[in-house]
Amino acid sequence: GDSVQVDLVSLDTFSRRARLDLVDFVWANVAGAERELIRGGLETLARTRYLYTAYSDEEMYSDQPSLADILALLPDFRVVELWQDRVLLANRRLQA
């Protein structure tokens, strides 16, 4: 029942601090916070080849985005592989 306070940093802030240029792969396990991850990482994701994340079209968490929501937030990405509750996306702009 105890709560723990943690510091958060957006993906874009982390990427800038680490001086990341091209990112090959992001594995996001954020328990329903995919929308926040994407919004806080749009600059980094524009330079990311692949994104692997969970999704659910049945709400498991408050304000959890569906696969359609995730794709709407990432119009340059396409589905490479789709599983029951996971998806692998590829950035069309960075494909050979």
Side-chain angles (χ1 to χ4, degrees):
D2 293 338
S3 62
V4 176
Q5 186 172 347
V6 296
D7 293 327
L8 298 177
V9 62
S10 72
L11 182 59
D12 283 343
T13 298
F14 173 82
S15 177
R16 278 193 292 281
R17 288 179 184 170
R19 294 188 170 106
L20 298 179
D21 292 321
L22 182 65
V23 177
D24 287 319
F25 188 82
V26 170
W27 183 311
N29 185 0
V30 292
E34 292 81 10
R35 183 178 286 116
E36 290 81 1
L37 172 94
I38 293 167
R39 287 182 179 154
L42 287 173
E43 294 172 16
T44 304
L45 292 170
R47 301 185 319 271
T48 299
R49 292 181 196 272
Y50 295 95
L51 171 64
Y52 176 82
T53 190
Y55 77 92
S56 179
D57 290 332
E58 296 178 22
E59 189 171 353
M60 298 169 55
Y61 302 99
S62 177
D63 200 32
Q64 169 188 333
S66 66
L67 179 57
D69 295 333
I70 291 170
L71 293 172
L73 291 167
L74 296 168
D76 292 332
F77 281 74
R78 66 177 177 83
V79 174
V80 174
E81 193 73 39
L82 187 63
W83 297 274
Q84 181 178 350
D85 60 354
R86 305 269 184 243
V87 64
L88 176 63
L89 303 172
N91 189 332
R92 288 184 185 98
R93 291 180 180 243
L94 300 178
Q95 300 300 295

